Amino acid sequence: VSGGERVGHHAVVSAVQRQVFARGKKVTLPGVFFRAFWVLFRKFFFEFSFLDGSAGIIITYYSAVATFTKYIKLYVLMRVPSPQPPPRKRGGEVAGGGGHE
């Protein structure tokens, strides 16, 4: 499993968890980009990751990518309508189906 696949998998799990626990918290597209930028800024200038050389820069980059992936997937999940079950007729039959004529 490559690192990118692992980040994608964890982002899906986290996005679903965040959607469940967010309780109506909205995620906007500008907010997605801001969060990823904030991770870069925070790690670079407050945690001084650039002092760790190329390893610090790479870790900072992947942290921002993981944050972006997590929130963009949550953004998409919030925009996709949940599937609705087909309407039921009286007697429990599914409307439009059944094949009895």
Side-chain angles (χ1 to χ4, degrees):
V1 177
S2 73
E5 291 172 1
R6 192 173 300 131
V7 168
H9 168 72
H10 290 295
V12 169
V13 172
S14 182
V16 171
Q17 289 172 344
R18 285 183 184 277
Q19 186 178 27
V20 170
F21 295 115
R23 298 179 192 171
K25 185 176 178 182
K26 302 291 183 194
V27 176
T28 63
L29 196 55
V32 170
F33 287 98
F34 175 77
R35 288 176 191 271
F37 172 76
W38 178 246
V39 167
L40 280 172
F41 186 84
R42 186 186 74 224
K43 287 193 172 291
F44 233 71
F45 296 108
F46 294 137
E47 297 178 18
F48 304 110
S49 65
F50 61 89
L51 295 177
D52 293 328
S54 60
I57 293 170
I58 291 169
I59 290 170
T60 299
Y61 169 76
Y62 278 117
S63 295
V65 169
T67 300
F68 176 81
T69 305
K70 178 171 45 180
Y71 281 98
I72 199 71
K73 288 188 178 198
L74 178 59
Y75 175 79
V76 170
L77 282 174
M78 290 177 61
R79 299 303 182 267
V80 174
S82 60
Q84 299 293 326
R88 297 199 170 265
K89 290 183 178 179
R90 291 185 193 176
E93 293 180 20
V94 177
H100 297 103
E101 301 205 15

